[in-house]
């Protein structure tokens, strides 16, 4: 019988965090279980900083709220944790034993880890060290292994679709190529799905290294048919056949301690080259954090609620070291061991990188086939 649980929200924020927290908290209240929340994700676990959520005013009325009421931290890897000393020096330390001690002393029977692949890698590693973890898959990129969908993704696609609709107006009025850069470091789900829902003409994703000449050909063909404008969606992680992804060093982050590069800029490269190749004027818009903030869509509210309630159900059944998932449309769970794939070593690569177990767009996915069927150029 579990009596006391804690929630931890980790990684970049996205719509649905609070809806999951609410669902866990409400299921706790239904079952007379105490519910707590660690402040700022894994940082709260290290610092033993948590608050009570059941019965609390702070955790009420949060279904529609963006962000996370208990905060979240990026690049807080407990196995390689950045410690800043009084003399100004910085060391990276394995603080996982401290986390295990904190959880045991607090008496938490389960810690729910809401986050992406990096968060779930740490959850799996901490499970092997004796903490009862249950993961809930989050990320706008939709790239967590073993699940059809992560919470936050649908809202991001919705925001991107609205942006494409608005860019269409300018494209058509001024005979321009309007490029929209969306998030998606290694997986192009947002770009692909929003290109379909927004009626874009070209979609460039990381899984298909592109030939800019192919994209230009598609736009020139439209021009010949009297359409002197085009809308192009580019994943931030897309790249040409013979070039690397566009990244910038993230200041002060050790590569083992988190994501040491930032993405962004690929859309500008595409816009510039398409202008040269088509003679049409072009502009790039980088959608950025708009995709992560604000109220979740109805779909994400329901998905988050299902995930939260399922996570609590699993905890009450004593099933730990698992991740809630949607498989073929059904709510289910898988072992965190499957989620980390070959990334087995405790404390090694924590995810969020090309080496971690990312769920890519596959060439036989319905979205790829549909895009090709209706003539969206994928740059190949
Ligand atoms: O993983 C989600 C994501 O939104 C990526 O698509 C993006 O590259 C990254 O987070 C940016 O994160 P931040 O700037 O918050 O570190």
């Amino acid at each position: 019988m579990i009596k006391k649980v804690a929630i931890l929200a980790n990684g970049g924020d996205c719509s649905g965090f609070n809806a999951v927290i609410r669902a866990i908290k409400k299921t706790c209240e239904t079952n007379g279980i105490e519910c707590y929340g660690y402040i700022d994700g894994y940082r709260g676990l290290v610092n033993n900083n948590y608050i009570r959520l059941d019965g609390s005013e702070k955790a009420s009325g949060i279904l529609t709220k963006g962000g996370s009421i208990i905060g979240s931290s990026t690049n807080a890897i407990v196995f390689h944790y950045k410690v800043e000393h009084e003399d100004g020096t910085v060391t990276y330390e394995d603080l996982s034993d401290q986390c295990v001690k904190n959880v045991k002393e607090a008496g938490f029977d389960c810690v729910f880890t809401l986050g992406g692949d990096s968060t779930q890698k740490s959850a799996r590693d901490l499970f092997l060290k004796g903490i009862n973890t249950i993961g809930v898959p989050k990320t706008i990129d939709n790239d967590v292994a073993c699940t059809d969908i992560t919470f936050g993704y649908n809202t991001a696609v919705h925001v991107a679709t609205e942006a494409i609709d608005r860019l269409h107006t300018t494209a058509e009025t001024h005979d321009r190529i309007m490029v929209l850069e969306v998030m998606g470091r290694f997986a192009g789900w947002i770009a692909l799905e929003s290109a379909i829902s927004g009626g874009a003409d070209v979609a460039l994703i990381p899984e298909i290294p592109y030939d800019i000449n192919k994209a230009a050909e598609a736009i020139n063909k439209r021009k010949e048919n009297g359409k002197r404008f085009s809308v192009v969606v580019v994943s931030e992680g897309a790249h040409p056949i013979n070039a690397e992804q566009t990244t910038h060093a993230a200041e002060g982050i050790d590569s083992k301690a988190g994501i040491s590069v930032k993405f962004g800029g690929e859309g500008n490269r595409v816009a510039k080259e398409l202008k040269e190749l088509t003679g049409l004027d072009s502009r790039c818009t980088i959608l950025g954090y708009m995709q992560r903030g604000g109220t979740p869509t109805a779909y994400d509210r329901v998905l988050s609620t299902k995930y939260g309630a399922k996570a609590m159900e699993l905890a009450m059944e004593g099933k730990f070291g698992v991740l809630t998932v949607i498989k073929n449309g059904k709510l289910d769970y898988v072992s965190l061991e499957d989620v980390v794939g070959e990334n087995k070593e405790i404390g090694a690569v924590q995810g969020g990188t090309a080496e971690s177990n990312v769920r890519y767009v596959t060439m036989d996915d319905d979205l790829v086939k549909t895009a090709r069927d209706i003539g969206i150029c994928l740059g190949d």
Side-chain angles (χ1 to χ4, degrees):
M1 234 343 245
I2 57 162
K3 293 196 181 72
K4 209 174 164 186
V5 299
I7 305 169
L8 167 165
N10 201 62
D13 71 326
C14 80
S15 302
F17 252 151
N18 286 326
V20 179
I21 293 168
R22 171 180 176 268
I24 294 174
K25 182 210 75 167
K26 277 187 169 284
T27 312
C28 279
E29 287 168 346
T30 307
N31 292 282
I33 294 165
E34 288 178 35
C35 181
Y36 294 78
Y38 276 109
I39 300 299
D40 293 343
Y42 282 118
R43 198 170 298 138
L45 196 61
V46 167
N47 298 330
N48 208 20
N49 185 12
Y50 54 84
I51 56 166
R52 182 105 182 231
L53 296 177
D54 56 303
S56 119
E57 205 39 50
K58 188 177 167 72
S60 168
I62 60 172
L63 176 63
T64 58
K65 265 192 191 163
S68 154
I69 58 155
I70 49 175
S72 180
S73 60
T74 53
N75 296 314
I77 308 288
V78 304
F79 294 85
H80 195 70
Y81 197 84
K82 187 175 182 179
V83 181
E84 291 173 35
H85 303 275
E86 272 171 17
D87 64 358
T89 56
V90 167
T91 54
Y92 286 90
E93 294 171 22
D94 179 354
L95 299 181
S96 56
D97 287 338
Q98 176 71 37
C99 294
V100 176
K101 189 167 161 275
N102 287 346
V103 172
K104 299 268 178 231
E105 282 179 6
F108 293 133
D109 300 307
C110 176
V111 177
F112 298 103
T113 54
L114 283 41
D117 60 330
S118 174
T119 303
Q120 306 312 341
K121 173 64 167 65
S122 293
R124 175 272 195 179
D125 293 354
L126 289 169
F127 175 66
L128 293 183
K129 294 196 75 164
I131 300 182
N132 287 336
T133 50
I134 295 179
V136 179
K138 171 232 70 162
T139 176
I140 66 162
D141 290 4
N142 201 28
D143 61 357
V144 176
C146 303
T147 186
D148 294 348
I149 192 156
T150 53
F151 73 85
Y153 168 67
N154 181 267
T155 306
V157 170
H158 184 82
V159 172
T161 304
E162 195 183 338
I164 296 169
D165 289 350
R166 289 175 190 277
L167 293 174
H168 248 116
T169 321
T170 305
E172 204 166 349
T173 306
H174 295 287
D175 291 344
R176 277 182 192 161
I177 299 170
M178 296 301 284
V179 175
L180 178 69
E181 181 184 296
V182 297
M183 282 185 172
R185 286 184 301 227
F186 305 106
W189 296 105
I190 300 177
L192 189 55
E193 192 155 347
S194 65
I196 293 172
S197 63
D201 308 294
V202 179
L204 304 178
I205 63 173
E207 291 87 344
I208 306 178
Y210 66 84
D211 176 351
I212 197 69
N213 295 301
K214 299 279 183 191
E217 253 172 49
I219 291 170
N220 281 331
K221 207 162 145 215
R222 278 173 55 79
K223 213 164 79 174
E224 283 159 25
N225 293 333
K227 298 231 164 135
R228 296 186 52 82
F229 70 92
S230 285
V231 174
V232 178
V233 186
V234 179
S235 292
E236 60 183 354
H239 61 98
I241 303 169
N242 297 320
E244 299 288 312
Q245 295 180 301
T246 305
T247 58
H248 322 269
E251 268 173 42
I253 297 175
D254 176 282
S255 63
K256 247 193 114 188
I259 303 155
S260 55
V261 291
K262 294 251 168 251
F263 285 73
E266 190 60 25
N268 282 310
R269 162 154 64 182
V270 169
K272 184 172 169 288
E273 290 182 5
L274 286 179
K275 183 178 179 176
E276 285 161 11
L277 291 167
T278 64
L280 289 171
D281 203 3
S282 73
R283 297 281 190 279
C284 172
T285 301
I286 299 178
L287 197 53
Y289 298 92
M290 299 290 290
Q291 295 157 94
R292 296 204 329 207
T295 190
T297 55
Y299 182 95
D300 261 332
R301 292 179 200 184
V302 175
L303 178 68
S304 302
T305 304
K306 278 158 83 173
Y307 272 153
K310 178 73 181 176
M312 262 304 291
E313 188 186 295
L314 291 166
M316 289 187 289
E317 287 169 5
K319 295 200 177 86
F320 302 112
V322 293
L323 179 82
T324 60
V325 296
I326 298 283
K327 263 278 149 262
N328 302 321
K330 291 285 295 170
L331 193 54
D332 207 340
Y333 69 95
V334 293
S335 160
L336 282 171
E337 210 53 52
D338 292 342
V339 179
V340 303
E342 297 311 308
N343 188 12
K344 295 284 183 221
E345 194 190 327
I346 294 185
V349 179
Q350 287 296 307
T353 70
E355 291 76 44
S356 55
N357 202 24
V358 169
R359 179 173 168 264
Y360 297 104
V361 173
T362 55
M363 292 311 109
D364 61 353
D365 192 275
D366 287 344
L367 290 177
V368 174
K369 289 200 227 154
T370 303
R372 291 198 194 283
D373 282 346
I374 62 164
I376 296 179
C377 170
L378 298 180
D380 59 347

